[in-house]
Amino acid sequence: MKFSEKLKSFFGIKNELTDEFFDDLLDLLVEGDFGVSLASQSVEELQVRCKKEKITTPEKAKELFRMILHAYIANSVREDNQFRDGALNVILLLGVNGVGKTTTAAKLACLFSKEAKPLLAAGDTFRAAAIDQLVIHGERLGVRVVAHKQHGDTAAVIYDALEAARAGNYNPLIADTAGRMHTKSALVEELKKIDRVIERFKTQDGSAKAIHYLKYLVLDATTGSNAFVQAETFSEAIRIDGVVLTKMDSSAKGGIVFALAAKLCLPVLFICDGEKYENLKDFDAEKFIQTFLGFE
Ligand SMILES: Nc1nc2c(ncn2[C@@H]2O[C@H](COP(=O)(O)OP(=O)(O)OP(=O)(O)O)[C@@H](O)[C@H]2O)c(=O)[nH]1
Ligand SMILES: [Mg+2]
């Protein structure tokens, strides 16, 4: 993150907490993808708390800012989006075109294959190339992929994948989806169909508790405020359990993580910082904040 260099030198160069200091910090945070609303809110909070706690140096203000950022992330943490022991965990990857859904499906399969037996479902039936793309990843990784022909029904692919997962003891099931820009109602209808399929499967399976269904939203971190708008649109339409933030290796600035947490109560669960399978990591809030503020 090159942007963190800017924040680091900002806190290093300034030596007084003047109005100009807070104005400049606000501009920097807007540049760093906080969004105007959260940038103003967090700077105001910092300003008020510096006064109250009699903090007068940028160094101490930076430490306080670290705590403010930490609180935003802590507020978005949830228990119910973790994998459930004893259940078949089903992850549906959602997001607009080109954000990295298919690559993320493969990366997650690679990560989980170290300790479990994941199964991939080629739920993007829109383009033939999308199915092939996932099948190739599966071959490379030695992970089974359930796929239908092009133009098939995503919900039907998922139903077959659920059966395959039960029969072969696969877990988790990771489903890719098509990345066209959904209108809200189309998205909701499509997901309702998948919900119905999962419910039907639960009934047939006779073990209602045994499926834990999670929807992850994939966002491209380099698109900044655009990614935030996507998150807003998706979470207005459906319940999102967590975010996978991709392309953190390039020009991404990272402030989106705080905007998602503070404004939409959406936790980032994984970060991708490259195209290779191993470039997906669990999101570590403490480490992320340290890097973002240029502590290291
Ligand atoms: N640098 C970088 N590139 C990435 C990352 N994740 C995905 N990509 C690249 O982004 C491009 C799109 O990735 P896909 O996984 O095909 O994205 P998608 O969301 O499935 O796209 P559609 O199926 O077309 O909607 C590919 O060239 C990936 O290699 C990342 O973390 N870093
Ligand atoms: Mg794809």
Side-chain angles (χ1 to χ4, degrees):
M1 252 193 296
K2 279 193 196 120
F3 180 75
S4 65
E5 291 296 321
K6 274 198 179 177
L7 269 179
K8 188 177 181 170
S9 64
F10 171 78
F11 282 104
I13 289 165
K14 301 277 178 178
N15 44 30
E16 263 184 297
L17 300 184
T18 56
D19 285 347
E20 192 200 358
F21 169 89
F22 291 106
D23 286 347
D24 290 350
L25 179 60
L26 181 107
D27 290 344
L28 255 181
L29 295 178
V30 172
E31 187 192 326
D33 290 342
F34 262 58
V36 176
S37 167
L38 185 64
S40 319
Q41 180 189 323
S42 57
V43 169
E44 206 177 302
E45 198 177 334
L46 179 67
Q47 205 161 5
V48 169
R49 285 184 58 180
C50 280
K51 212 169 176 183
K52 208 167 131 197
E53 294 169 34
K54 300 196 168 36
I55 285 170
T56 52
T57 66
E59 199 190 346
K60 292 246 167 66
K62 184 176 170 181
E63 188 54 37
L64 184 55
F65 199 54
R66 188 177 71 80
M67 286 160 69
I68 290 172
L69 295 185
H70 210 277
Y72 291 152
I73 299 212
N75 280 335
S76 72
V77 170
R78 302 180 201 159
E79 291 291 321
D80 59 358
N81 62 9
Q82 302 299 310
F83 275 14
R84 199 177 286 160
D85 279 345
L88 167 57
N89 294 285
V90 178
I91 300 169
L92 192 69
L93 293 169
L94 300 166
V96 306
N97 257 312
V99 287
K101 293 176 298 301
T102 309
T103 317
T104 296
K107 286 171 176 168
L108 286 171
C110 177
L111 178 76
F112 298 137
S113 64
K114 291 184 180 115
E115 289 173 6
K117 201 173 136 191
L119 179 68
L120 285 162
D124 180 357
T125 55
F126 205 56
R127 292 175 298 120
I131 302 170
D132 295 344
Q133 193 188 348
L134 200 66
V135 168
I136 291 167
H137 280 302
E139 278 166 8
R140 277 192 205 136
L141 290 163
V143 170
R144 186 171 162 199
V145 180
V146 173
H148 286 187
K149 289 203 184 77
Q150 192 188 358
H151 304 311
D153 191 357
T154 301
V157 177
I158 290 176
Y159 192 84
D160 274 3
L162 287 167
E163 284 196 319
R166 272 287 181 255
N169 266 327
Y170 291 94
N171 197 3
L173 164 57
I174 305 156
D176 189 18
T177 62
R180 53 193 183 274
M181 179 63 99
H182 299 274
T183 64
K184 268 191 223 176
S185 61
L187 172 71
V188 171
E189 282 316 308
E190 211 170 316
L191 291 173
K192 266 191 194 157
K193 224 166 161 182
I194 296 172
D195 288 350
R196 280 200 296 273
V197 152
I198 291 183
E199 282 311 313
R200 187 150 54 90
F201 189 81
K202 275 187 189 170
T203 318
Q204 180 197 307
D205 200 42
S207 47
K209 70 159 182 44
I211 292 179
H212 186 45
Y213 175 33
L214 297 164
K215 296 184 191 86
Y216 289 179
L217 180 65
V218 183
L219 296 172
D220 174 346
T222 59
T223 62
S225 59
N226 216 333
F228 182 81
V229 173
Q230 287 162 24
E232 219 171 12
T233 310
F234 272 85
S235 53
E236 271 166 17
I238 52 159
R239 185 197 146 85
I240 295 292
D241 296 292
V243 168
V244 180
L245 202 57
T246 63
K247 314 192 192 183
M248 279 297 293
D249 49 316
S250 21
S251 57
K253 296 173 186 126
I256 176 88
V257 169
F258 305 108
L260 292 171
K263 292 288 170 190
L264 303 176
C265 208
L266 272 181
V268 172
L269 301 176
F270 296 97
I271 293 240
C272 298
D273 57 1
E275 293 179 86
K276 298 203 181 93
Y277 295 132
E278 60 270 24
N279 290 132
L280 174 138
K281 288 161 194 107
D282 275 320
F283 177 68
D284 178 338
E286 193 53 49
K287 209 168 144 205
F288 185 84
I289 296 168
Q290 293 277 92
T291 310
F292 182 79
L293 288 177
F295 273 105
E296 47 186 41

